[in-house]
């Protein structure tokens, strides 16, 4: 029943986003693409940050590497779709190898290590000019077609990635893997003691948190046609994605999608109306989120709204009895 | 009788400090063994060495005929070497049922989450916690938390169970309940090694006793022989206490 | 370039780095918080120094105590009213909160001060020793940085509040039972972190052009130094800072300045894995 609700809400939301090319102008489609893209990354992050409880801040490294791997593959003559697939696999392998090293760290050290990965990948990309074009950035072959066709194509590819990510998260949530990850998030030593292979479980979660970001990055690079290190490996991006998940509800299935949708739309409103202050306003949202919505939008609804409703329903008949 | 666990010259040093020194013994399947010794004698370290929590500095651990000296903790759990902790280690936000299911799913090698939950139900009944199956583990009081630890370990389908101070912090009637439970577990064919401070408890339940002192095994054998061993009396029991225990166990 | 010149540059740079990292290390070590505001605190100190100097013409060395005190106040208030509320939460929460606060502070700075690089130019000339040369402003910066480091060391060691901070770091509960007001101590600690960051910013504004774009760079340096030197110790941060200064100086010479920062990060990751307690491993202020 609950699963059905998840599927229904998600399917409805995806259908709505997918309908934008038929109903709305290019500006709206651009927002729809952003939503699909960030939702996919938020769902991705949820594997390591939500299920496993590891404060990972490497999202931008995976995204950026996806951008560059896809762009470089295309520039070296690999056809479009193959280049995207290559970028995805490249990022997955990178994350698995990196995870085997940095997942030995915990807590604050893991957080710092995972942020450092973003800085490091950016610095290396900037200084390896012969391959990556360095700080000047890289032109990516443009997608064929009219602007409308291109945005529709990008939107559908992003949505496809989101759907795969979401289905994976549902599968993981019900599976042995998800169970083990939740054990790790609550008490890693105890998880070890009941027979969870914590090292490999964490590596799988970390890789899952990377793979969809890599795919999204490659598609993004093809969409915008130009990438540079500052934009691709941005600290802002690496922190924004966890904030989206926290906003929706970390460790839940729909939370990341909800959080990403709300966040992107809020951001859009602030960009449009308070260009100069948009960063401060987003900061304000984060502060508000930490103090007033520590468990995210999904949980607050359950606790207060539903609770209040039940109380009203319960007290209503009693009052009716008393008055009669 | 078949041998289930053998330690050969096991040692462990932390820095320069030898916590366990050259310990060797062999345990038979189906026994209940008591492990005693003063505080800091290395009892918990020994359990950690057997279950792969710490790597050995020297020596070998043979479990069911297999050299497991280099195993990691999760591998020990999957092999059927389960343990409980002196300080209980639940998954606080999961329900009691899910806690036990974790043991079944990973240590017990159950095929699916559903099967694990079924098995967890059985074990909860066995330890008498089925009434609180759906409450979060963090809401349990200490005696029930200890039972939860037992149920979790049992769900791992262990051949060998190491109980580290399962009775610490319990009152007399709770201890009796726990001992009944331990006997019931032994009746299922599980070999049990129990670390225990209360001599009365150890003597009443163990078929054999190992005594650890300063990281060394100073005595082993059936309870009566061990409490008469002069070395044990001097190192651990004190002569007065030994006499009293001896007198009491004669009466019993 | 002469090896001694590289060495000297490294030490000068390293002293400034130490000054950057000390406050960050203190906050992490005592409050267990990764303070994402730290880079912005440094830039804020630098901007305040620049504009005060431009307006009044007073040498920033004399403005330093006032600016650092202002930063202390800002830090104290932020910790007392915001961060204290979640100080025991997991790192994800505290890091995200300080990041959110940083976004606000950063935005305020870009609006009021713009991102234009600013530098206090004092034209103090250079000292020549044989074929080596050292700009006087850098030497002065190094002197100031070392002086502040020594001052903080003394405060932590000898003052009442310093001992209270050490006590809270060691055992929060016990400190509470001894009658220490932990929330106040936390706020003061965070204030001291901001004080040191502000002071470092003032010094930097006299040595290099500063801009809001550098907040991330400074924060990154603080990470690296803390991992090299270990957490929450003044000598550790000093050694870590000078080590990083030397490493960057030599790396800049041998494999090019554009790779110097990369070397620092690689070293940090390596150390994190091999020796997560820090190279020096000095704990506390004892």
């Amino acid at each position: 029943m609950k699963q059905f609700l998840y599927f229904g809400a998600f399917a409805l939301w995806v259908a709505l986003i997918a309908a934008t090319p038929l109903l709305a102008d290019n500006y709206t489609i651009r927002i729809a693409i952003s939503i699909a893209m960030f939702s996919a990354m938020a769902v991705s992050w949820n594997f390591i940050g939500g299920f496993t409880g590891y404060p990972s801040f490497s999202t931008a490294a995976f995204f950026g590497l996806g951008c560059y791997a896809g762009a470089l593959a295309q520039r070296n003559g690999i056809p479009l779709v193959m280049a995207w697939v290559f970028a995805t696999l490249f990022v997955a392998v990178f994350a698995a190898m990196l995870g085997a090293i940095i997942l030995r760290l915990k807590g604050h050290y893991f957080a710092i290590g995972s942020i450092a990965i973003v800085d490091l990948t950016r610095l290396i990309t900037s200084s390896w000019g012969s391959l990556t074009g360095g700080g000047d950035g890289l032109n990516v072959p443009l997608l064929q077609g009219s602007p409308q066709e291109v945005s529709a194509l990008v939107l559908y590819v992003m949505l496809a990635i989101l759907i795969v990510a979401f289905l994976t998260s549902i599968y993981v949530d019900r599976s042995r893997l998800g169970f083990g990850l939740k054990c790790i998030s609550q008490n890693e030593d105890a998880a070890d003691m009941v027979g969870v292979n914590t090292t490999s479980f964490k590596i799988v979660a970390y890789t899952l948190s990377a793979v969809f970001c890599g795919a999204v990055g490659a598609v993004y690079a093809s969409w915008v046609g130009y990438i540079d290190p500052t934009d691709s490996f941005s600290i802002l991006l690496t922190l924004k994605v966890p904030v989206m998940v926290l906003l929706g509800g970390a460790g839940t299935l729909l939370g990341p999608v909800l959080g990403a949708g709300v966040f992107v739309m809020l951001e859009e409103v602030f960009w449009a109306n308070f260009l100069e202050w948009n960063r401060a306003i987003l900061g304000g949202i984060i502060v508000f989120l930490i103090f007033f919505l520590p468990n995210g939008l999904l949980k607050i609804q359950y606790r207060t709204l539903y609770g209040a409703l039940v109380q009203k329903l319960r007290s209503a008949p009693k009052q009716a009895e008393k008055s009669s | 009788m078949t041998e289930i666990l053998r330690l050969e010259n096991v040692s462990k040093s932390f820095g320069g400090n030898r916590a366990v020194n050259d310990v060797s013994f062999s345990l038979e399947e189906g026994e209940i063994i008591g492990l005693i010794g003063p505080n800091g004698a290395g009892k918990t370290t020994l359990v950690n060495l057997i279950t792969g929590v710490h790597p050995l500095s020297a020596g070998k651990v043979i479990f069911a005929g297999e050299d497991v000296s280099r195993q990691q903790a999760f591998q020990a759990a999957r092999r059927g070497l389960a343990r409980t902790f002196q300080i209980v280690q639940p998954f606080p936000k999961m329900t009691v049922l899910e806690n036990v299911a974790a043991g079944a799913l990973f240590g017990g090698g159950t095929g699916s989450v559903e099967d694990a939950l079924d098995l967890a139900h059985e074990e909860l009944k066995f330890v008498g916690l089925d009434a609180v199956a759906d409450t979060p583990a963090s809401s349990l009081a200490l005696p029930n938390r200890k039972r939860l630890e037992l149920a979790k370990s049992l769900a791992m389908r262990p051949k060998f169970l190491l109980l580290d101070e399962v009775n610490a912090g319990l009152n007399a009637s709770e201890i009796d309940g726990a001992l009944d439970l331990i006997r019931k577990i032994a009746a299922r064919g599980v070999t049990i090694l129990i670390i225990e401070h209360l001599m009365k408890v150890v003597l009443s339940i163990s078929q054999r006793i190992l005594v650890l002192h300063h990281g060394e095994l100073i005595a082993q054998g059936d309870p009566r022989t061990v409490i008469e061993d002069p070395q044990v009396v001097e190192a651990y029991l004190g002569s007065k206490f030994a006499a009293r225990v001896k007198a009491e166990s004669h009466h019993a | 370039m002469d090896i001694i010149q590289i060495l000297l540059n490294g030490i000068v740079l390293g002293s400034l780095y130490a000054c950057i990292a000390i406050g960050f290390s203190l906050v992490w070590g005592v409050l267990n918080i990764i303070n994402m505001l730290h880079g912005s605190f440094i830039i804020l100190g630098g901007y305040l120094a620049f504009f005060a100097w431009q307006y009044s013409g007073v040498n920033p060395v004399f403005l330093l105590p006032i600016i650092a005190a202002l930063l202390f106040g800002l830090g104290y208030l932020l910790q007392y009213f915001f961060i204290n509320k979640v100080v025991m939460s997991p790192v994800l929460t505290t890091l995200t909160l300080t990041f959110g606060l940083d976004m606000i502070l950063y935005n305020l700075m870009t609006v009021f001060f713009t991102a234009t690089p600013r530098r206090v130019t004092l034209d103090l000339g250079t000292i020549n020793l044989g074929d080596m040369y050292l700009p006087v402003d850098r030497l002065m910066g190094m002197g100031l940085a070392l002086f502040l480091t020594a001052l903080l060391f003394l405060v932590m060691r000898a003052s009442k509040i310093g001992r209270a901070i050490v006590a809270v770091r060691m055992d929060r509960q016990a400190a509470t039972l001894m009658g220490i007001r932990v929330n106040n101590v936390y706020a003061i600690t965070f204030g001291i972190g901001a004080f040191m960051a502000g002071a470092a910013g003032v010094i930097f504004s006299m040595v290099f052009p500063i801009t809001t774009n550098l907040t991330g760079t400074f924060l990154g340096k603080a990470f690296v130094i803390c991992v090299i030197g270990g957490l929450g110790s003044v000598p550790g941060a000093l050694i870590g800072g000078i080590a990083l200064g030397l490493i960057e100086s030599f790396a800049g010479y041998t494999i090019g300045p554009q790779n110097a920062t990369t070397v620092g990060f690689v070293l940090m990751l390596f150390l994190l894995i091999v020796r997560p307690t820090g190279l020096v491993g000095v704990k506390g202020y004892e």
Side-chain angles (χ1 to χ4, degrees), chain C residues 5-204:
Chain C
Q5 177 77 53
I6 303 172
L7 210 66
L8 273 173
N9 288 350
I11 291 173
V12 171
L13 191 66
S15 318
L16 298 180
Y17 281 174
C19 202
I20 288 182
I22 271 175
F24 183 80
S25 162
L26 182 73
V27 168
W28 186 352
V30 177
L31 278 68
N32 212 15
I33 280 175
I34 295 173
N35 178 19
M36 300 294 283
L37 279 155
H38 199 76
S40 295
F41 281 160
I42 296 170
I43 298 298
L44 180 60
Y47 272 149
L48 288 177
F50 174 82
F51 286 106
W53 167 74
Q54 202 181 40
Y55 179 78
S56 67
V58 177
N59 187 323
V61 175
F62 303 109
L63 297 168
L64 189 145
I66 305 168
I67 293 170
L70 280 175
L71 263 293
F72 175 89
L74 176 65
Y76 184 94
L77 294 176
L78 282 175
Q79 177 70 31
Y80 200 87
F81 288 108
F82 292 96
I83 307 171
N84 262 343
K85 309 277 186 257
V86 295
V87 77
M88 303 305 280
S89 306
V91 56
L92 185 63
T93 308
T94 53
L95 192 148
T96 310
L97 175 63
T98 56
F99 174 66
L101 292 170
D102 180 62
M103 286 174 85
I104 299 172
L105 179 58
Y106 182 94
N107 203 156
L108 287 168
M109 290 199 297
T110 51
V111 170
F112 288 116
F113 301 143
T114 74
T116 320
R118 315 275 187 180
R119 186 185 167 178
V120 175
T121 33
L122 296 173
D123 287 324
L124 299 173
T126 57
I127 295 175
N128 291 303
L129 287 169
D131 53 353
M132 288 176 293
Y133 75 99
L134 281 168
V136 174
D137 50 10
R138 290 197 183 194
L139 279 179
M140 190 181 72
M142 173 174 127
L144 268 176
L146 293 177
F147 169 73
L148 285 168
T149 308
L151 190 71
L152 183 62
F153 184 69
L154 280 178
V155 166
M156 295 308 293
R157 205 168 184 132
S159 75
K160 205 173 157 190
I161 183 65
R163 296 326 285 171
I165 291 173
V166 174
V168 171
R169 175 197 156 100
M170 282 174 163
D171 191 333
R172 178 191 152 101
Q173 257 187 327
T176 317
L177 294 174
M178 304 303 285
I180 294 173
R181 285 160 59 212
V182 172
N183 275 349
N184 192 42
V185 170
Y186 278 170
I188 290 173
T189 309
F190 200 82
I192 295 175
F195 179 100
M196 293 302 287
V202 176
I203 297 171
F204 258 90

Side-chain angles (χ1 to χ4, degrees), chain A residues 142-157:
Chain A
L142 285 172
L143 294 169
Q144 300 298 313
S146 69
Q148 282 78 13
E149 285 166 359
V150 167
S151 13
L153 172 73
V154 171
L155 176 63
Y156 292 131
V157 177

Side-chain angles (χ1 to χ4, degrees), chain A residues 174-176 179-180 182-184 186-187 189-199 201, chain B residues 53 73-74 77-78 83 85 89-94 98 102 105-107 110 113 152 156:
Chain A
R174 295 160 140 191
S175 72
R176 208 179 133 80
F179 205 121
K182 280 175 222 161
C183 290
I184 292 173
Q186 295 191 22
N187 188 337
D189 289 331
D192 214 9
M193 284 302 144
V194 296
V196 180
N197 185 348
T198 49
T199 312
F201 273 52
Chain B
V53 177
F74 78 92
R78 291 179 182 185
R83 69 172 294 187
F85 286 86
Q89 299 268 10
F91 303 112
K93 287 182 199 157
M94 290 186 182
E98 285 168 331
L105 189 59
F106 300 103
T110 319
V113 178
K152 200 161 77 178
M156 289 156 63

Side-chain angles (χ1 to χ4, degrees), chain A residues 108 112 127 276-277 279-280, chain C residues 32 82 99-100 107 259 268 272:
Chain A
H108 293 66
I112 290 279
S127 53
E276 208 178 30
W277 290 104
R279 200 161 165 148
Chain C
N32 212 15
F82 292 96
F99 174 66
N107 203 156
N259 294 317
M268 158 179 157
L272 266 179

